[in-house]
Amino acid sequence: MGRRIVPLTLDNLGDLPAGCRSCVFWELDPVSAKEAVESGKPELEKEGWISTVLLEWGSCGRIAYVDDRPAGFVLYAPPAYVPRSQSFPTSPVSPDAVQLMVSRVLPGYQRQGIGRVLVQTVAKDLIGRGVRAIEAFGSSGRAPTSCVLPADHLLAVGFRTVRPHSRYPRLRLEARTTLSWRGDVEGALERLLGGGRKEPVLPF
């Protein structure tokens, strides 16, 4: 099987699930997001957001492929590009951190380690760019929000709570704790994605 993780670009944006291509939950403030959906143009807004971030900041996502079929993806960006984050009770994201917005593994590819490797790949990218930490808003409680990562899963991959909240805690992963991943990611890709043995993973 061929397995690879590549940067998200406008060329492969169409490989995201349809619902995710048109989701602007994080990319716009609540009012603008509602207007985009009502006008029938959320996909254009998503494309415009990715184009802007790519031009001004650089890579803001990764897509995992298995046999050239998309198997999962992750999006991340500095808080200045994520206006929805300002609506959370535990905001703002720290100025020295990049926000992990969303991570998904598609049905049929879950529980194979892809979610964990996507997070590792983001860490490697950000450490190389001098970013000190990754932060994310977690979802906890009886009714998880689909666009917000489960807090338990973030904790399982090394994040720590920096602002507790009953519904939306903010969690942080320090760059220094991921330094060992710089030399491990390629091995992790082979072990978790390419090997026959499956290890305990997160169901992102």
Side-chain angles (χ1 to χ4, degrees), residues 17-77:
C20 297
R21 290 198 306 271
S22 60
C23 177
V24 288
F25 178 87
W26 289 111
E27 293 82 355
L28 300 176
D29 64 81
V31 173
S32 298
K34 182 179 179 180
E35 292 175 350
V37 172
E38 291 177 347
S39 66
K41 298 179 179 179
E43 288 190 9
L44 291 177
E45 293 287 352
K46 183 89 163 194
E47 182 176 329
W49 181 87
I50 290 177
S51 177
T52 297
V53 179
L54 284 171
L55 288 172
E56 296 180 358
W57 182 67
S59 180
C60 58
R62 291 291 188 274
I63 302 180
Y65 292 90
V66 175
D67 289 339
D68 292 326
R69 294 184 178 183
F73 71 96
V74 62
L75 283 173
Y76 53 98

